[in-house]
Amino acid sequence: MTDDAERERLQGADVDAWRRWGPYLSERAWGTVREDYSADGDAWSFFPHDHARSRAYRWNEDGLAGLCDDGQRLCFALALWNGADPILKERAFGLTGPQGNHGEDVKEYWWFVDSTPTHSWMRWRYAYPQRAYPYADLLEESARRGRHDPEYELLDTGVFDEDRYFDVSVDYAKASPDDICLRITVTNRGPEAATVHLLPTLWFRDTWSWRLGVPVPSLTASGSGALVARHEELGTRTLASDGSPEALFCDNATNTERLWGRPGPAYPKDGINDHVVDGAATVNPDRTGTKAALHHVVEIPRGGSHEIRLRLSPDVAPDLGQDWERTMAARAAEADAFYGGLSTGATADEAHVIRSAMAGMLWSKQYYAYRVRTWLTGDPNQPAPPPERWHGRNRQWQNLDAEAVVSMPDPWEYPWFAAWDLAFHCVTLAHVDPAFAKQQLAMVLGAGWMHPTGQVPAYEWDFGAVNPPVHAWAALHVFRRDGGTDLAWLRQVFERLIVNSTWWVARNDPDGNGTFSGGFLGMDNIGPFDRGAALPEGVVLEQADATGWMALNCVSMFEIALVLAETDPALEDMALMFFDLFALIARATEGSGLWHDEDGFFYDRLARPDGAGWPIAVRSMSGLVPVFAAVGVRRELLDRLPRLKAHVERFLEDHGDAAEAADIDLEAAGEGHGLLALVDRERLRRIMRVVGGEGEMLSPHGVRAVSAAYRDHPFVLHAGVEDETEVDYEPAESTTGLFGGNSNWRGPVWLPVNYLLQQALRRYGEAAGHTVLCEYPAGSGRSATFTDLAADLSDRLVSLYLPDADGRRAVWGGNPRFSTDPAWRDALLFYEYFNGDDGAGLGASHQTGWTGLIANLLLERIRDRLR
């Protein structure tokens, strides 16, 4: 073992082998689009949670503390039973979109505690109640509550009262790429002794029922406390335990009798569940099948703990003694060394948040398979899907043929890739595994994913939805964090991004005037009406955010072209092209009416064919997106491209108004950087009066998505567009179903857009130095540079997770269990968004995907501190 063992693995020739096994088992596979073979497209109803224990999945599997190979052929997860629940706890329970009063919502507490990038070491933790899980109570009370009521959480049910729960942790340590040591530790937090059933479970994903000629793998027993898995491709694997468990077997096959009253397999998927819970004769007495569990029954005294050692190995008789112990200790120490090196100079609290964020990012890597053509036509061994699906979801994406390990936004609430989320994931993942980050960006832009027209698939509920084009921006970040030398990769993604940029322009600016639309663009519920819905005939919505997003894409592509042109001068033409597109947008922004000079802010605009129009004067994150379009330009690089330099100079001479409205200052002093930005510094100062107003968009923990001024005085649009024409300030959960049940951009703080704003302010600061001052916060009488603004915004955002002087974290809001319980307060969850007033975490609770950007902010702060 060395201090750099994990880094050596990442740089070694066998790195893919070390990544072969990982936490790629989803947290939820039921209720997904892939498993929906209905006529009406109601995925939640077609495959509900109640079916999950009894029904074989078609596309991928799910479980607790899950592990599988990168092709998800063999799966491992932990099942639990407290003797009181009506079913085994095999997967996390939550409400579907229609069941929750604020949309889908998981009702469990688990944590992704730790992971190295190769998954040589991982830790997972779960709080399992000792009382019966309150399924009915959660459903009934949530149905009673309306949109103006808070969500009914598992803690609210009282099931954890008196600390009656088991604290369950699972550790993984790889002795070699295919040899995995496991430790399950259960602590009884309750006031008296309690019994728990632990069922580490091994099964094969069903690949044989859907295609002809696929051999069926097998699981069998081996002596006392071991399972043997045999698979044509994987070979033989043994799962051994140091306890004295009973081996239970069934098949990963649908219980058609339970679900639909039709005869089916003798020992179906829920056979182990029915045997343990009800004593039914539903496990195979011949001790063979395609799903099996090692059933341990353990009584744990009050405050006591119990440990089970396991090993999943190619060895016939895996060692569970000294070699197991050495492996566990070595991998844990290597993980400490890896993260110690990453967070050099950090405080203990900063290092903890960084490591927790990275653990969530790495645990959110999931096996994802979806072949749309197969999904539409059906499988040879199955009934044909209903003909209605040929007129429904994703029918125009028959090119999509995805099968890979993919970084997911939230592995329970969003267990499918989302294109613009993925760009942010890669920016964070590049700190620990740049090769994986590069692979993910190239993948989503590559064949089998990108549409032949050049559109990047958005997300599986609607691949054709338009997402912000942030991938060029992300590619630059990943390229630099990887050392800035992999020009072949950068050129590969650049070429694909040219195709995507062409599609974006044709789709969202069909008139070619430089003002863009695009619909909701990922920011649901932010406006007075659904921006994705059809407008009255002749009315056009010109969007400040769509225009700003395309400007960000242009300046990022311009910068990539400059980098590539250093070694390939032919790409100077591409830099010219993207500068010209940027210039078109700059001219349009100046003349379109998106900029409201009186208010000093950008607004969306409704326009009629006769040229008449009016602004949708909502002070929201939509109007901040144009600020994101800012990149630094190295002057010495521009000097080596004389045609481009002359072209820029001619533009500045010929288009003075547009040049002044934008910020094209390639000779700025700063730190050796010029600036190419859509918004000039004076306009940015005016915008920051709104953004920096603590009664407007500036909260103690970041920039709100909508101004708090609408709390008492909602914005009302009198335009006859829709019945819903009001925007108020909602600091927490959404009270409108305008677009999606639990997606709210009407006030809370969102990390991705805050991070883009903070990064843009840094670019402005590098170019302007101390020559431009803003009053900040607005009305305070204090002056600050753009660099100061960026630093303050970063501090506010990281204060969501760093404990204050009293040891409290804003992310927990007023929740006493999370705020004060020593066993809970430092176990971090990374939420989808945050209360615009107090910073409490909201929405999906494991959305480390883009909330993991907290780690970026902390690492940047540490770097600045060490300069």
Side-chain angles (χ1 to χ4, degrees), residues 301-385:
R302 179 185 66 183
S305 296
H306 184 83
E307 177 185 294
I308 294 175
R309 295 182 179 185
L310 299 163
R311 193 160 186 167
L312 180 61
S313 173
D315 295 342
V316 175
D319 181 273
L320 292 166
Q322 291 185 351
D323 184 67
W324 182 96
E325 293 169 357
R326 282 193 299 269
T327 298
M328 278 287 177
R331 297 298 176 261
E334 291 164 7
D336 289 343
F338 177 81
Y339 282 107
L342 178 69
S343 54
T344 299
T347 66
D349 287 326
E350 290 171 336
H352 175 60
V353 175
I354 292 168
R355 189 164 178 173
S356 298
M358 293 301 181
M361 295 290 305
L362 294 164
W363 270 92
S364 295
K365 293 160 62 175
Q366 310 279 279
Y367 170 83
Y368 182 87
Y370 189 14
R371 290 178 287 281
V372 172
R373 177 71 182 176
T374 301
W375 178 76
L376 288 168
T377 58
D379 293 288
N381 285 5
Q382 301 296 322

Side-chain angles (χ1 to χ4, degrees), residues 287-308:
R287 302 209 301 173
T288 186
T290 52
K291 177 182 177 182
L294 296 174
H295 184 197
H296 305 74
V297 183
V298 180
E299 183 176 11
I300 307 175
R302 179 185 66 183
S305 296
H306 184 83
E307 177 185 294
I308 294 175

